[in-house]
Amino acid sequence: MTDIPTSSDPRSLAFDTLDVFTSAPFAGNPLAVVHLRSAETNRSSQQQKQIIAREFNLSETVFIHHDESSLSNYDTEHHGTWKIDIFMTNQELPLAGHPVIGSAWWLAHTYADLQSATLLCKAGPVHIKVDRSVTPFRVAASMPQALRILQAGPNLQDILQMQRGLVPHTSALQNARPGQERFPVVQLVPGMTFALVELPSGEALDTIAPTPTRVTVPSEEGFIAMYLYTLRREAAKRFTLHTRMIEQFLEDPATGSAACTLSGYLALQAVGADASALADVETPWEFNITQGEKMGRKSDIHVKVWIDVEGTIKEIQLGGSAVQVMNGTLWSR
């Protein structure tokens, strides 16, 4: 069993960087993974974690807490439990998809017999399954979710003000949304909220650009962003999407939490339009999502959604792979 790097110097922390939602280096979404043992956990404050995340300057940095209980069931059940903390450069997040998948992948890569894991994040426990039947292996995470559709979403004029490149596509946007004044704003868990904007074509999606204007939702705090997408139905319960995530000047190569939010919303909309789909609740709704292409960092995100006989979401599972790019030691304060 491989162990994480360590150092006798109390100021040092081991780290890795991964590219997540890809199996090719320099694609996908970069992630910094910082390892904290028990003593390091005790002396690493939230402020220090925020400073470290700012130093990496990636969309997210994740801190994995390694303690004596993490692998207590590893020998008998091939299972482990780890606490994780997720930081952007300016705030902590309760949940985010690519840090969860990246953490799970690193653990499965490091502990060769790991078959399942539990990651404890601020939004709740995330249950992980490792699929070693495929090469490269993949991990899947049952994401915490309390999916909620909010009422006060942006209207078409709001979107056009933020994304002037969409103006030539105004008629197509209007025709695709008859009778709908506002775009849906959907929350996966408190603090993770997305305005979901379906576009009529890949050409329209290509016009999207970072913007100084932020999507605002009255009475909601935390992370709020636009998730723009095109959609193609491949089979009764299988869809292909191309997406882009914009939060002011930030564009993200892969946004697992947004992918889960959108997939959950689309599955509920599909069931609402055709209740006969509830006759088969064992087969999940599947969403194969490509993001990051315009950034030169193609990401492949896989989401499955199970809906019960009452038409409510039972589970949202986020899946993907990763690849290690760097490792080393950082020197903390």
Side-chain angles (χ1 to χ4, degrees):
M1 182 172 64
T2 305
D3 205 1
I4 68 168
T6 187
S7 169
S8 59
D9 192 313
R11 297 171 300 166
S12 68
L13 296 172
F15 76 89
D16 295 88
T17 69
L18 312 177
D19 286 336
V20 183
F21 292 119
T22 182
S23 57
F26 315 118
N29 199 352
L31 174 71
V33 182
V34 181
H35 304 285
L36 300 177
R37 294 188 179 277
S38 297
E40 294 159 347
T41 295
N42 294 335
R43 66 172 183 267
S44 298
S45 67
Q46 296 299 95
Q47 182 182 11
Q48 287 171 316
K49 294 172 191 172
Q50 188 67 76
I51 291 169
I52 291 169
R54 196 174 302 131
E55 179 70 16
F56 278 110
N57 200 32
L58 298 175
S59 58
E60 281 111 7
T61 295
V62 64
F63 296 82
I64 301 180
H65 296 254
H66 302 265
D67 57 40
E68 293 179 357
S69 64
S70 295
L71 292 168
S72 58
N73 295 323
Y74 181 76
D75 290 336
T76 56
E77 300 177 18
H78 306 297
H79 180 89
T81 300
W82 290 266
K83 176 185 174 184
I84 64 172
D85 299 318
I86 302 168
F87 282 80
M88 298 179 67
T89 57
N90 62 344
Q91 64 178 312
E92 185 177 8
L93 296 178
L95 180 69
H98 105 277
V100 165
I101 294 299
S103 297
W105 184 92
W106 185 91
L107 292 164
H109 173 72
T110 302
Y111 302 109
D113 293 326
L114 192 72
Q115 296 177 0
S116 63
T118 302
L119 301 181
L120 306 175
C121 61
K122 293 295 191 297
V126 182
H127 301 292
I128 304 294
K129 295 179 181 178
V130 182
D131 182 3
R132 299 188 188 275
S133 68
V134 295
T135 303
F137 73 84
R138 290 171 56 179
V139 294
S142 294
M143 298 290 277
Q145 60 89 19
L147 199 84
R148 186 163 68 102
I149 301 172
L150 308 180
Q151 299 302 314
N155 60 32
L156 180 56
Q157 289 306 311
D158 295 330
I159 298 298
L160 294 176
Q161 285 294 324
M162 289 184 279
Q163 296 292 333
R164 302 301 298 172
L166 289 176
V167 171
H169 303 274
T170 301
S171 295
L173 282 162
Q174 291 172 329
N175 294 337
R177 307 177 65 255
Q180 300 180 52
E181 293 185 4
R182 294 185 178 273
F183 290 91
V185 174
V186 185
Q187 189 174 82
L188 182 66
V189 296
M192 297 301 293
T193 305
F194 298 93
L196 305 178
V197 181
E198 183 175 3
L199 298 180
S201 66
E203 181 183 5
L205 189 64
D206 285 346
T207 70
I208 300 305
T211 171
T213 307
R214 169 177 279 142
V215 175
T216 58
V217 181
S219 75
E220 293 298 328
E221 298 180 350
F223 185 78
I224 304 173
M226 279 194 299
Y227 201 48
L228 306 104
Y229 66 97
T230 61
L231 174 70
R232 185 173 73 245
R233 195 167 197 158
E234 306 287 0
K237 301 179 83 170
R238 189 174 73 251
F239 299 82
T240 296
L241 300 92
H242 291 261
T243 64
R244 296 180 70 180
M245 194 288 287
I246 302 292
E247 196 275 326
Q248 287 191 292
F249 293 110
L250 169 69
E251 178 166 7
D252 203 21
T255 317
S257 55
C260 290
T261 303
L262 175 59
S263 298
Y265 171 78
L266 291 174
L268 288 175
Q269 294 299 109
V271 167
D274 181 10
S276 66
L278 295 176
D280 177 15
V281 296
E282 298 301 321
T283 303
W285 298 83
E286 296 187 35
F287 301 86
N288 296 311
I289 299 169
T290 302
Q291 189 177 333
E293 290 173 296
K294 289 292 285 185
M295 302 177 70
R297 300 196 67 97
K298 181 175 179 288
S299 302
D300 297 309
I301 307 168
H302 306 281
V303 183
K304 295 181 179 180
V305 181
W306 284 265
I307 294 182
D308 64 23
V309 292
E310 297 178 353
T312 58
I313 294 175
K314 180 181 178 182
E315 181 182 355
I316 299 178
Q317 185 185 86
L318 175 66
S321 191
V323 61
Q324 187 173 20
V325 179
M326 291 184 281
N327 60 30
T329 301
L330 66 88
W331 301 93
S332 62
R333 292 182 178 181

